[in-house]
Each structure stands twice: as C-alpha cells, then as structure tokens.
Amino acid sequence: SHCAAAVSNVLRGPWKATAMPQKVENVGAVARLCVVSQRHGTSPNWLRHIPTSVLPGCWDPADQLACLQSVLQYVPRPRSLSLKVLKHDVYQSCLTGWLAQTLEMASAALTDLHITGFRDFDVVLGRTAMHRLQRLDVSRCKCKDPDTAISAIAQRCPRLVELDVSETSISDRGLEAVARHCPRLRRLTAVGCPKVTCECDAMVAKRSPDVQVVYV
C-alpha cells in the first residue's frame, strides 16, 4: 500500500492532475499500476481519464469487458473511456446487455466515449448517460438501423461537439438528424461510409452551419 500511495502522489503531482502523464499512459503496465494506485495516497481517486493502454484492443470482447469492470472498481466515475474490438466476434451479441449495464454504471460523468468495432451499438449505448457527453466515437460499429440509432443517440447528447461514425452504414439521413439534435456540434467525421454522399454537406449546413463534415 505504501508503494501504491507513493505512485499515486507522484503521478498526480502538485498540479492536481486528473489524467496520467503521457509517458505513463504510453506504457500499459505502468498505466494499469496508476489505476490500481487510486485507492491510496494523500488524495485518492483523482484519476478521471482512462486511456486506451489500460483497456487495449482485444480479439475477445469478453476479456476486454472483464478488464473494464476491474478498472471501474478503481475509477468508478471516469470522464473519458475507450473500448475497441479488433474483430466483429460472432458471439459478441451475448455480451451486449452486459456491456450496456457496465456503461450505465460508469457513464454519469462521461464527456468522452469511444466504442470502436462493436455490434448492436444502439443497445450498447441504450442505458448510457449522455447529458455530459462532448465527444462520441462509434466508428466501425454496427446495428440493424444505424440512421435511427444515431438519431436517437443524438437526442440524448445536447452538449455533443464531435462525433465520429467512420466505417459505418450511416447515411445522409442519419447525419442530418445529428446536426438537427446537437446544436453545439462542430465536427462530424464519416470517413469510409458508403451511404454518405456529397449532398450531406448542404444538408448538415442547413441545420448547423458551423459544423465541419469530414467524409473522404
């Protein structure tokens, strides 16, 4: 416990950090030590940003979810969270409810959420608190009706500034709905979306002229 307390105190430093230093974040083992140290030190529980290195991309989504639940025992109210699946697993659908429940418990303070490569992302995010969310990444995610899903999600994100839907089946209709429901939106990334056309620029600009659309 003395070692963990020392790690926590040094990493937080006198500047009252809420995120790991970049050098720590870049080394997975050291980053995970920082997470575990959150229960110790003179000011415990200061970490609010969970880097990708703590939750590395896994071929098995079940392993990553188990890792997420372990991390959340030490950082129960993160402000940023990243989850990445490198391959759409045929058994992933059975984990959807489990992941949705886990995100619900962790989402009260989230401002940045990145879930990449998941199936049924509409169900995964169905319980997630999004009223504070400013940046959302659902690139490479799938569901039966992505336009309806992203429209419903956008209605729950009044503070959203950036959205990435790259490599999804979302169309112009879905992007127009996002611009309509998110008045603070400034950047919309839809690279590799075959159903997004050159007409989306005008459609989005009509709803929100300050949005930068990136789709090439």
Side-chain angles (χ1 to χ4, degrees), residues 14-196:
W15 50 89
K16 308 301 181 183
T18 59
M20 303 176 191
Q22 189 66 48
K23 291 182 179 179
V24 173
E25 181 179 322
N26 290 340
V27 182
V30 181
R32 286 187 282 276
L33 175 60
C34 179
V35 168
V36 174
S37 75
Q38 288 305 294
R39 292 181 178 176
H40 305 277
T42 55
S43 299
N45 303 317
W46 54 266
L47 187 64
R48 291 292 177 267
H49 302 276
I50 302 176
T52 306
S53 56
V54 174
L55 296 168
C58 301
W59 291 106
D60 186 352
D63 289 346
Q64 189 175 82
L65 187 52
C67 181
L68 170 61
Q69 292 184 324
S70 177
V71 168
L72 291 175
Q73 292 180 19
Y74 298 94
V75 189
R77 289 176 58 86
R79 292 178 189 164
S80 67
L81 181 62
S82 297
L83 288 169
K84 181 184 293 186
V85 173
L86 301 180
K87 183 176 71 172
H88 288 288
D89 193 292
V90 294
Y91 301 108
Q92 194 187 124
S93 57
C94 68
L95 300 173
T96 299
W98 187 15
L99 177 57
Q101 184 178 9
T102 301
L103 285 178
E104 179 186 17
M105 294 186 293
S107 63
L110 278 178
T111 60
D112 294 62
L113 178 60
H114 307 265
I115 58 166
T116 304
F118 281 86
R119 297 172 60 181
D120 302 322
F121 76 91
D122 53 335
V123 180
V124 168
L125 297 177
R127 302 179 183 180
T128 305
M130 294 186 167
H131 58 285
R132 296 178 183 269
L133 212 60
Q134 297 177 20
R135 282 163 288 275
L136 176 62
D137 180 356
V138 293
S139 56
R140 294 183 54 245
C141 287
K142 296 182 177 181
C143 73
K144 293 180 179 179
D145 188 349
D147 284 333
T148 299
I150 203 64
S151 177
I153 289 170
Q155 293 180 55
R156 296 160 52 207
C157 301
R159 300 182 182 181
L160 198 66
V161 176
E162 298 180 14
L163 175 65
D164 191 339
V165 295
S166 297
E167 297 183 56
T168 66
S169 298
I170 287 173
S171 71
D172 293 351
R173 181 171 66 89
L175 298 188
E176 188 273 338
V178 170
R180 183 170 69 250
H181 295 303
C182 301
R184 299 187 185 183
L185 193 68
R186 292 296 177 267
R187 184 177 178 87
L188 186 51
T189 305
V191 177
C193 297
K195 295 183 180 180
V196 173

